[in-house]
Amino acid sequence: MGNCQRGRPRDAEPLHTGTRTSPDSKLLQVHDRPTIGDVFPNLKGSTQLSDDFDLYEYIGNDKWGLIFMHPGDFTPVCTTELGAAAGLASEFEKRNVSVVGFSCNNAQSHRDWIVDIKVATGEQVNFPLFCDPDRSHAKWLGILDQNNRDRKGLPMTVRSVYVLKPNKEVALVITYPASTGRNMNEILRVIDSLQVSHEYEVGTPANWTPGGRVLINATLSDNQAEGRYGREQIEYVDVPSERFSGAIRRHYLRYVNDPTVKEQPQEGT
């Protein structure tokens, strides 16, 4: 795909810095904080719904994953975020996305917090909230922020959003400060962008929304692009650098209509 992402081979060993006994008593590697191109480690443990949660099984083999990281329960910004995410359950389902929350408290605390979220936002959280009361999973994942600590002086979980491809590879990471609530419309937008890019090998320009024109990846030659989309469907942008510099690839800006949008039949046909 023609984007500026730091990728790793799909068959590469998981990133790690050492070993430790994981919360499920198996010797596992302590991971660097997952980033784009890494395979997200499998979370196994408890949620408010189950004592034997398995992230990979929950997401399945053909769905995308969305993980919201939270430092703890009963925090004001996170309360509004989980309510907003719960209110978009049908939108995530439409996009074939499984949603998971992660917070450093136990199952009963999560259940009590969900009651508050319902009262505060009017939305019922039905997706699992992973439990990490001793922060062992957060440490294992490498997502503790040593620069931000709670009232007890303990490092807080980084407030990141992870979008996972069906193969569990990280497709997107967005990290927010504790003071700024996540924009759920933007999260839906980037999921739409990731999915159209993943399926059709295109990129999406600035401020793109579904239905807008997309960019043909640089990996496709003009002949390949025209064979796929049709010459008449492609807009080649004539830029000065291509006329005066032999080092610049010809036709690096090529627009085509959103391939997920089917053309409407014209009247009378």
Side-chain angles (χ1 to χ4, degrees), residues 175-192:
T175 302
Y176 294 79
S179 60
T180 302
R182 305 172 223 218
N183 186 323
M184 296 298 161
N185 289 328
E186 172 63 4
I187 290 172
L188 289 175
R189 188 190 78 89
V190 295
I191 290 173
D192 288 332

Side-chain angles (χ1 to χ4, degrees), residues 4 22 49 69 122 170 204 249:
C4 301
S22 75
L49 303 170
M69 296 294 184
V170 177
T204 57
R249 181 186 182 279

Side-chain angles (χ1 to χ4, degrees), residues 37-83:
D38 294 337
V39 173
F40 195 91
N42 192 13
L43 280 174
K44 295 182 179 181
S46 300
T47 71
Q48 85 281 16
L49 303 170
S50 169
D51 291 329
D52 58 354
F53 177 81
D54 182 304
L55 177 66
Y56 286 8
E57 289 183 0
Y58 173 72
I59 294 176
N61 295 323
D62 60 350
K63 300 189 73 172
W64 291 64
L66 177 63
I67 307 173
F68 292 104
M69 296 294 184
H70 297 279
D73 297 353
F74 308 107
T75 49
V77 173
C78 297
T79 297
T80 64
E81 290 172 333
L82 288 179

Side-chain angles (χ1 to χ4, degrees), residues 196 203-205 207-215 255-261:
V196 70
T204 57
N207 302 320
W208 177 87
T209 55
R213 294 188 306 167
V214 298
L215 293 161
Y255 285 95
V256 69
N257 290 335
D258 184 344
T260 67
V261 177

Side-chain angles (χ1 to χ4, degrees), residues 25-241:
S25 298
K26 295 179 181 178
L27 193 64
L28 294 178
Q29 296 164 335
V30 176
H31 296 261
D32 291 335
R33 187 177 301 172
T35 189
I36 292 172
D38 294 337
V39 173
F40 195 91
N42 192 13
L43 280 174
K44 295 182 179 181
S46 300
T47 71
Q48 85 281 16
L49 303 170
S50 169
D51 291 329
D52 58 354
F53 177 81
D54 182 304
L55 177 66
Y56 286 8
E57 289 183 0
Y58 173 72
I59 294 176
N61 295 323
D62 60 350
K63 300 189 73 172
W64 291 64
L66 177 63
I67 307 173
F68 292 104
M69 296 294 184
H70 297 279
D73 297 353
F74 308 107
T75 49
V77 173
C78 297
T79 297
T80 64
E81 290 172 333
L82 288 179
L88 292 172
S90 62
E91 293 296 325
F92 293 125
E93 183 177 0
K94 183 191 306 181
R95 291 163 173 80
N96 203 33
V97 174
S98 297
V99 181
V100 183
F102 181 107
S103 185
C104 294
N105 294 90
N106 62 32
Q108 187 56 54
S109 177
H110 286 355
R111 287 189 283 267
D112 292 342
W113 189 23
I114 286 171
V115 174
D116 281 5
I117 293 169
K118 172 68 173 178
V119 172
T121 68
E123 303 293 347
Q124 178 65 42
V125 173
N126 293 317
F127 52 82
L129 298 182
F130 193 83
C131 304
D132 191 27
D134 62 359
R135 308 187 189 209
S136 56
H137 287 86
K139 182 179 180 181
W140 175 61
L141 286 171
I143 58 170
L144 290 177
D145 186 351
Q146 299 297 332
N147 295 318
N148 288 302
R149 296 177 177 267
D150 62 15
R151 295 176 183 176
K152 297 179 181 179
L154 298 173
M156 298 173 65
T157 301
V158 174
R159 279 176 32 83
S160 294
V161 176
Y162 288 94
V163 177
L164 309 185
K165 298 177 184 178
N167 66 356
K168 314 306 181 293
E169 183 180 295
V170 177
L172 176 87
V173 186
I174 308 176
T175 302
Y176 294 79
S179 60
T180 302
R182 305 172 223 218
N183 186 323
M184 296 298 161
N185 289 328
E186 172 63 4
I187 290 172
L188 289 175
R189 188 190 78 89
V190 295
I191 290 173
D192 288 332
S193 171
L194 291 166
Q195 291 184 340
V196 70
S197 299
H198 180 73
E199 184 172 354
Y200 294 98
E201 294 187 285
V202 295
T204 57
N207 302 320
W208 177 87
T209 55
R213 294 188 306 167
V214 298
L215 293 161
I216 298 173
N217 278 356
T219 54
L220 290 180
S221 68
D222 288 347
N223 286 337
Q224 289 172 322
E226 291 176 7
R228 177 174 298 188
Y229 298 107
R231 173 64 183 88
E232 67 283 357
Q233 299 299 321
I234 301 173
E235 177 192 350
Y236 292 96
V237 180
D238 183 21
V239 290
S241 62

